Amino acid sequence: MVDEPLLDKAARLIARLGRVTALTGAGISADSGVPTFRGRDGLWRRFKPEELATPEAFRRNPRLVWEWYRWRMEIIAKARPNPGHYALSELERLGLLECIVTQNVDGLHQKAGSKRVVELHGNIWRARCVECGYRLVFEKPPDDIPPRCPRCGGLMRPDVVWFGEPIPEDAWREAVECTLRSRVMLVVGTSGVVYPAALLPRIARDNGTLVVEVNVEPSALTEEVTDIFLQGRAADVLPRLVERVKKYLRATTSS
Ligand code: BJW
Ligand code: ZN
């Protein structure tokens, strides 16, 4: 159960300061049935993400890596945004959100109506040819894996960011600019162990930005970076937080 006085404090500050950037991770989609990477439900068969989400793993065994992605695509295809995703899109409608910077590849923020979404690690529905760079978008999980390039016959890979690969330059620039414009960073459902995404809350804090975190348990960021830790499920805490923000907004406009 989230600590009520803390929820209230966070809401009051968000209503007063405005300009929120949300940094989201797998935990926000956990309530939509999408498995996280780490922790209890976080493993696929016996593999860790560090063993599958790498260019080396793909070179060694493209089929195995594609099996993992197809399994996830099947889950994501059935998943619907949850109240946590909708609460963030509501924050945007209220004019309080600079952008959502997400590490997720599932597209659920956009499905919930969020417009300003920066995808740091790509999107699971896109693939690109390792030979000629041709890109395509899947509408459903591919039947034949590994998929082949319709243009040159080369091997296609998921158009996502693996360990050892750089974040797309535009996405990183936008994420940093958004962070620097913000007065609050809302960190939701991320273990905070993967860089450079985990740098953003530090950049925020060093810039004097309030860091509010929502997670079911403390993350690698909580002790060092977070100002207000709201313990609980994103699908539960975020809607309550946004309702409370609205209450404070009404109070300031009517006084
Ligand atoms: C809930 C919940 C509920 C559960 N409600 N909460 C600095 C220091 C150390 C290492 C490095 C460093 N800089 C770079 C590195 C290396 C590496 C790295 O970070 N390694 C660490 C693991 C040690 N980083 C990279 O390699 C990055 N690239 C790079 O640095 O390039 C440099 C370069 C420059 C120029 C040229 C060449 C290279 C790239 C990292 C890419 C990460 N990719 C993945 C896969 C993406 C595609 C895919 O989805 O398959 O991204 S790995 C995986 O981890 C995925 C995620 O986006 C990412 C983060 O995971 P996330 O979202 O935090 O999920 P979990 O599962 O870890 O946590 C879930 C959380 O939710 C938990 O806290 C739960 O408690 C919580 N939760 N239910 C609220 N209901
Ligand atoms: Zn090709």
Side-chain angles (χ1 to χ4, degrees):
M1 209 50 170
V2 65
D3 183 299
E4 276 296 321
L6 271 186
L7 183 85
D8 199 67
K9 184 177 172 192
R12 196 160 19 90
L13 286 166
I14 289 172
R16 187 184 329 143
L17 297 169
R19 297 225 296 273
V20 179
T21 287
L23 171 67
T24 64
I28 195 169
S29 295
D31 292 314
S32 295
V34 181
T36 59
F37 292 92
R38 298 167 186 84
R40 226 168 356 109
D41 306 319
L43 298 179
W44 180 68
R45 299 190 190 165
R46 62 202 151 79
F47 298 102
K48 297 192 174 87
E50 289 78 1
E51 294 166 12
L52 287 166
T54 70
E56 295 74 32
F58 187 71
R59 271 197 294 277
R60 223 175 15 242
N61 194 342
R63 191 179 169 81
L64 173 73
V65 172
W66 267 112
E67 269 180 34
W68 182 46
Y69 279 91
R70 184 164 67 180
W71 172 73
R72 291 172 57 204
M73 280 167 138
E74 279 160 4
I75 295 171
I76 289 168
K78 291 190 208 115
R80 296 287 161 263
N82 66 59
H85 296 104
Y86 286 113
L88 292 184
S89 71
E90 171 80 357
L91 210 54
E92 184 172 5
R93 272 193 301 281
L94 292 170
L96 295 177
L97 193 89
E98 286 296 319
C99 73
I100 296 174
V101 179
T102 189
Q103 301 168 78
N104 300 344
V105 297
D106 56 29
L108 289 178
H109 286 301
Q110 294 91 329
K111 269 202 175 159
S114 290
K115 301 277 180 269
R116 281 185 264 169
V117 182
V118 179
E119 294 182 319
L120 284 185
H121 294 162
N123 189 294
I124 199 165
W125 295 106
R126 290 196 311 259
R128 69 171 195 265
C129 175
V130 296
E131 303 296 336
C132 75
Y134 180 82
R135 280 189 158 83
L136 58 78
V137 176
F138 291 114
E139 273 163 19
K140 59 178 192 49
D143 294 324
D144 296 323
I145 52 170
R148 290 280 164 185
C149 174
R151 193 160 75 184
C152 79
L155 198 56
M156 300 294 288
R157 58 161 281 179
D159 194 11
V160 298
V161 180
W162 286 329
F163 287 110
E165 297 183 323
I167 306 297
E169 214 174 295
D170 288 355
W172 182 248
R173 188 180 330 106
E174 242 187 284
V176 173
E177 282 172 6
C178 251
T179 301
L180 292 176
R181 280 199 306 273
S182 295
R183 299 175 76 179
V184 181
M185 174 161 272
L186 189 53
V187 180
V188 185
T190 178
S191 54
V193 297
V194 173
Y195 285 83
L199 275 181
L200 293 169
R202 292 192 162 77
I203 293 174
R205 186 223 25 213
D206 293 349
N207 196 41
T209 300
L210 179 80
V211 178
V212 177
E213 183 179 11
V214 178
N215 200 309
V216 287
E217 60 184 34
S219 73
L221 298 162
T222 311
E223 201 176 303
E224 196 200 322
V225 186
T226 301
D227 295 302
I228 301 179
F229 181 66
L230 302 176
Q231 186 153 13
R233 289 165 43 225
D236 176 42
V237 177
L238 288 176
R240 288 166 66 188
L241 182 66
V242 172
E243 276 314 304
R244 199 67 66 92
V245 168
K246 283 158 77 176
K247 184 186 107 182
Y248 280 114
L249 288 178
R250 283 196 297 272
T252 30
T253 47
S254 62
S255 64

